[in-house]
Amino acid sequence: MLVIFLLLWELVPRTGLLPELFLPSLSSTLDVLYQDWRIYAAALWVTLYEVALAMLIACAGGIAAGAVVGGIARLRQLLLPVFSSLYAVPIVILYPVFTAWFGVGSESKVAFAGIYAFFPVMLSTAAGIRTIDPQFLLAARSMGATLTQQVTRVIIPASLPTVFAGLRLGGALAIIGVVVAEMLTAAAGIGYLVTLNRTILDSPRVFAALLMILILSVAYYLLARAVESRFIVWQSAGKELPSTV
Amino acid sequence: MAGVIHAIEVEGLSHVYGGAVSALENISFSVAAGRFTVIVGPSGCGKTSLLMMLAGLRAQSQGTILCQGRPIPGPDPQRVGVIFQEASLYPWLTAVENIEFPLSLRGTPKNERRKRAGAMLELVGLAGFGERYPHELSGGMKQRVSIARGLVQDPPVLLMDEPFAALDEQTRMTMGHELLRIWSTTSKTVVFITHSLTEAVYLADEVLVMSARPGRIIDRIAVPLPRPRSYDMMATDVFGRLRDRIWQQIRKTP
Amino acid sequence: MKIVAVRLALLALVLAAWELLPRHGIVNPLLLPPLSDVLRALGDQLLRPQVHEAIAVTAAEVMLAFAIAVPLGAALGVLIAESEYLGQVFKPLLFYVFSIPKSIFLPMFILVFGISFAQKVAYASFTTTFVVLMSAATAVESVKQDYLLVARSYGATRTQVLLRVYVPSMMPLLLEALRISMIFNFTGVMIAEMYASRTGIGHLIAGWGENFQMTQLFAGVIVLAAVAILFNEAVRWMETRVSAWRA
């Protein structure tokens, strides 16, 4: 499938099916990327830095908040509906507030993307915490586990799938948030390159930046999946065997 | 009591939920060491609550519980092993790691743990399956691992809360038979809860029949069938009459 | 009732902080104007025809994009759920699609449509279609096979199965899908308006931000948030009414 896609990318503009302005050919895009690689590398570095920080905020905060709010019944009843209502608001409308407060540099991107990713991670973790079988703790108690042991030997391992899902979600959303922010108002970063080159109608350079973003997102997704399956071997789908007693 | 310390002694046990709902009413019974006692009763009669109290996982409103002559203020896995209806094996641990779990909580060194867990694995007939994860085991196998886990600290008393309820009938029968085999190689005291009248008569030395809420002991039925039990005993008159007697008792209660 | 009371108390606390912290200079009032100033600006803005126009434009974009995306996404979603082959081909792709920031396609839409009403609608429906697609596919797959089997064994025609089994069974999920899709739809329109537009609320907000007109900016944010939340709660309410039969 990928090969077909790449072929189309090359041929459709070349044959004039679509003007080069709309869709520059793959070769011209790669060519520009190669020529200006320093610029793109520097931009990528900025973007990655912002994504990392945003992800840190969103995941650390979101997972912790989600675990607490999801785990404590009172808090959950009180706050969860509030948070999921807030989720309905397009966070992007807050971005101008962040640029007014923090300026056009990385801080506003990190703040925005951090908050953008925070809510979904929190909601997802809160939901995931509730899937932990309450019998696990009962069994542990009956085996004489102390409170510390209950947390470290049962709750933490049982929460790992939820935590990993949160990390994967947080990273993906952090990337999306940073890219959107950089496209809107920025002075550096890959998203900024997209906007910059769009306004001067330099399509190959725009698409070179788009290509980098595409690769970044897909790479992150694959990485997250790979890490998850390494650590959570025991989650691999196994249908229950018919009883041979 | 003439100097005989029973494995379990319950005296005047009552329990009230939330100050209003009476769950258990004046329960008294004792179980001699090495005996297999089955508690049978309708849904909601409080048998699980009773078991929780025998295990030290819940405190009773009134009355005393003595296990080997001493009270049980909290869970004491070296005295009382508990096996629940849901095997509740930890999915991130292999079968043998699950069995070792109680030992690792106490800081038992690794070789010792492995040895004892391995022995338990063999006892329940799962030698060779130690490295499997729970999701790779069938329902019956999971319960066997759960039983092995309950036995690994060699507690003199074993409490089992409808451990075979989630299994299909044929597996249940086989597991019941297996349980009796395992029990016969040890000298443990077992208190076993079930819904199934057949299972009760097949497994027990004595059956305690509970009424619907508030739960009371309405009958104690000794099962005179010889051991080792066999399937064809289920077809005998004696078996049928015992079953019937239990059923009549349960039916009577509102 | 107690829960509602506690929530209202929390809200009151937040609002009070918003008013008092800037007023007393604990927080820089240039960065975070006191709530009363914001509300006053809100009142002023709502009277201006320019703002009315912007609201009208944004509302039109949101509704049109939704009207396009929902049937389109639903149709595609049902197709993917019903066809084994299509499902196998496209389902893995969908995961990738969701990882990609769809805002990167904005420049393409601008290239094709220019900066216009059409561009914003096209972009928003594009992003929303994927969400609707995913939800629709999930909803179709959620209908238990058992229900279908029972209906067919009683001789139900395909239409009857569709109307009497699929639809009621999927209704809660469909409403949920609508709710989530609208959230994405709204977001899509906002991004498009803030990125490159000459009209619409998003554009106004971006402008206020650039010019450090913080009171107007916050006023705009409050209005948008209120609208978004109202719509959300309305659909949620409908969901609970339709979901009474679910566990």
Side-chain angles (χ1 to χ4, degrees):
Chain A
M1 263 243 94
L2 186 61
V3 178
I4 300 178
F5 174 68
L6 292 176
L7 269 173
L8 281 174
W9 189 350
E10 180 61 24
L11 297 173
V12 168
R14 276 201 183 279
T15 57
L17 266 175
L18 280 180
E20 284 258 0
L21 187 64
F22 290 0
L23 181 70
S25 65
L26 179 58
S27 48
S28 51
T29 306
L30 291 175
D31 183 51
V32 151
L33 190 56
Y34 175 66
Q35 282 180 18
D36 285 354
W37 73 268
R38 279 212 181 78
I39 300 179
Y40 283 95
L44 185 63
W45 186 242
V46 170
T47 303
L48 284 177
Y49 166 74
E50 292 163 357
V51 167
L53 284 184
M55 189 176 156
L56 189 65
I57 295 176
C59 290
I63 291 176
V68 169
V69 173
I72 302 180
R74 281 279 163 80
L75 279 182
R76 186 176 60 235
Q77 284 168 342
L78 191 67
L79 294 178
L80 213 55
V82 173
F83 279 113
S84 66
S85 291
L86 287 180
Y87 176 70
V89 178
I91 302 273
V92 71
I93 62 180
L94 280 178
Y95 184 59
V97 173
F98 290 122
T99 43
W101 286 354
F102 301 114
V104 151
S106 290
E107 294 84 3
S108 52
K109 322 284 174 299
V110 170
F112 171 70
I115 299 211
Y116 178 69
F118 172 82
F119 281 102
V121 172
M122 197 209 95
L123 290 174
S124 152
T125 306
I129 288 280
R130 304 199 61 198
T131 63
I132 297 177
D133 191 343
Q135 281 274 357
F136 284 174
L137 282 180
L138 191 62
R141 275 182 61 210
S142 76
M143 290 186 264
T146 64
L147 193 57
T148 321
Q149 286 175 322
Q150 284 176 46
V151 171
T152 53
R153 305 291 302 275
V154 181
I155 296 187
I156 291 186
S159 327
L160 277 184
T162 307
V163 168
F164 271 99
L167 288 175
R168 177 159 45 96
L169 188 63
L173 292 175
I175 292 177
I176 294 179
V178 165
V179 167
V180 169
E182 284 181 350
M183 284 176 69
L184 286 175
T185 312
I190 299 275
Y192 169 67
L193 287 181
V194 170
T195 305
L196 180 69
N197 289 301
R198 180 194 72 77
T199 49
I200 61 177
L201 293 181
D202 188 340
S203 290
R205 286 200 164 72
V206 170
F207 274 79
L210 294 187
L211 184 63
M212 297 211 71
I213 296 173
L214 216 68
I215 294 177
L216 176 64
S217 332
V218 173
Y220 179 78
Y221 173 73
L222 292 173
L223 177 69
R225 271 304 169 91
V227 170
E228 223 171 317
S229 52
R230 270 289 319 273
F231 274 93
I232 316 209
V233 177
W234 47 270
Q235 269 242 306
S236 45
K239 295 191 72 176
E240 206 186 79
L241 299 177
S243 180
T244 53
V245 187
Chain B
M1 298 286 164
V4 171
I5 296 186
H6 293 271
I8 297 178
E9 275 180 66
V10 178
E11 187 72 41
L13 179 71
S14 298
H15 190 68
V16 178
Y17 279 120
V21 180
S22 181
L24 297 168
E25 210 172 86
N26 204 11
I27 307 238
S28 299
F29 65 92
S30 62
V31 182
R35 302 275 282 172
F36 199 118
T37 301
V38 175
I39 300 180
V40 80
S43 292
C45 69
K47 38 194 206 293
T48 298
S49 299
L50 176 57
L51 197 103
M52 292 283 157
M53 290 166 199
L54 291 174
L57 287 168
R58 199 178 289 174
Q60 66 273 25
S61 312
Q62 264 189 305
T64 56
I65 302 179
L66 295 179
C67 178
Q68 302 202 297
R70 288 159 17 234
I72 316 180
D76 189 352
Q78 295 186 288
R79 243 196 308 168
V80 180
V82 189
I83 288 147
F84 301 95
Q85 183 175 324
E86 303 286 332
S88 289
L89 300 179
Y90 295 134
W92 57 90
L93 299 176
T94 60
V96 75
E97 285 168 347
N98 264 292
I99 298 174
E100 287 181 350
F101 190 76
L103 298 176
S104 73
L105 287 178
R106 301 199 56 225
T108 313
K110 187 146 187 190
N111 335 5
E112 170 88 20
R113 292 203 314 246
R114 281 287 146 140
K115 227 176 52 171
R116 290 168 68 173
M120 288 301 111
L121 207 55
E122 272 203 53
L123 180 63
V124 299
L126 285 180
F129 285 91
E131 295 307 309
R132 296 262 188 113
Y133 282 97
H135 75 253
E136 296 172 298
L137 300 173
S138 69
M141 289 159 121
K142 284 196 263 218
Q143 273 299 2
R144 291 203 210 199
V145 174
S146 177
I147 291 173
R149 183 173 68 179
L151 291 174
V152 78
Q153 291 195 75
D154 205 25
V157 175
L158 212 55
L159 303 176
M160 305 178 81
D161 186 0
E162 302 199 60
F164 307 142
L167 306 174
D168 63 86
E169 166 124 22
Q170 294 170 24
T171 313
R172 270 183 105 136
M173 285 178 42
T174 321
M175 288 296 294
H177 195 72
E178 274 295 283
L179 178 63
L180 288 181
R181 173 187 68 78
I182 296 168
W183 172 67
S184 66
T185 70
T186 67
S187 50
K188 299 193 185 303
T189 310
V190 177
V191 177
F192 187 104
I193 293 187
T194 182
H195 259 121
S196 160
L197 310 182
T198 310
E199 200 169 53
V201 177
Y202 186 69
L203 299 175
D205 288 322
E206 182 179 45
V207 177
L208 300 176
V209 184
M210 279 182 72
S211 68
R213 181 187 294 163
R216 286 161 286 124
I217 308 254
I218 50 179
D219 202 2
R220 286 155 224 270
I221 306 173
V223 178
L225 298 169
R227 291 201 187 268
R229 302 276 165 89
S230 61
Y231 293 130
D232 36 309
M233 291 183 190
M234 292 193 199
T236 62
D237 275 348
V238 180
F239 198 100
R241 266 182 274 129
L242 289 167
R243 272 202 64 193
D244 216 50
R245 182 168 156 195
I246 302 177
W247 178 230
Q248 294 304 331
Q249 292 286 22
I250 294 184
R251 281 184 63 193
K252 274 194 307 195
T253 70
Chain C
M1 270 328 289
K2 237 189 79 175
I3 292 184
V4 179
V6 178
R7 287 202 198 125
L8 285 177
L10 282 174
L11 182 62
L13 203 65
V14 170
L15 293 178
W18 191 342
E19 178 63 25
L20 298 171
L21 290 178
R23 279 243 175 265
H24 295 281
I26 303 176
V27 168
N28 186 344
L30 286 176
L31 291 182
L32 181 68
L35 184 58
S36 47
D37 289 352
V38 172
L39 291 176
R40 203 175 312 133
L42 182 63
D44 290 339
Q45 290 300 334
L46 284 177
L47 295 173
R48 296 175 52 200
Q50 184 198 17
V51 172
H52 293 167
E53 212 185 294
I55 293 180
V57 168
T58 303
E61 287 163 358
V62 167
M63 290 193 284
L64 189 55
F66 204 54
I68 296 175
V70 169
L72 185 59
L76 289 174
V78 169
L79 245 137
I80 291 189
E82 293 279 84
S83 154
E84 280 255 13
Y85 175 67
L86 288 179
Q88 278 178 358
V89 169
F90 286 105
K91 273 225 199 133
L93 282 184
L94 280 179
F95 283 113
Y96 290 104
V97 166
F98 275 100
S99 316
I100 301 172
K102 283 183 250 351
S103 55
I104 64 178
F105 296 107
L106 257 181
M108 285 191 238
F109 280 94
I110 295 177
L111 286 170
V112 174
F113 292 98
I115 294 180
S116 65
F117 183 82
Q119 162 244 331
K120 286 173 279 175
V121 171
Y123 171 72
S125 13
F126 173 70
T127 55
T128 311
T129 302
F130 286 108
V131 178
V132 178
L133 199 161
M134 194 63 159
S135 316
T138 313
V140 170
E141 284 170 0
S142 76
V143 178
K144 289 192 197 252
Q145 286 299 334
D146 296 349
Y147 297 168
L148 298 174
L149 212 53
V150 169
R152 294 220 179 93
S153 72
Y154 280 108
T157 65
R158 287 212 68 165
T159 325
Q160 285 176 317
V161 170
L162 185 67
L163 291 174
R164 307 280 297 269
V165 180
Y166 269 103
V167 172
S169 176
M170 296 196 295
M171 197 51 95
L173 277 179
L174 288 178
L175 284 176
E176 175 82 4
L178 273 181
R179 188 174 68 84
I180 307 248
S181 308
M182 182 50 104
I183 295 178
F184 279 85
N185 189 42
F186 201 11
T187 305
V189 169
M190 283 294 110
I191 293 181
E193 283 187 354
M194 290 173 70
Y195 185 64
S197 172
R198 295 184 199 98
T199 53
I201 299 272
H203 167 69
L204 285 181
I205 285 193
W208 286 326
E210 274 169 43
N211 298 321
F212 286 94
Q213 295 172 274
M214 301 305 285
T215 49
Q216 288 89 330
L217 175 55
F218 277 106
V221 170
I222 290 185
V223 169
L224 285 174
V227 170
I229 292 181
L230 273 171
F231 180 83
N232 196 51
E233 294 311 304
V235 179
R236 276 246 205 110
W237 178 80
M238 283 201 284
E239 267 178 74
T240 48
R241 290 209 47 198
V242 172
S243 304
W245 56 265
R246 282 180 119 201

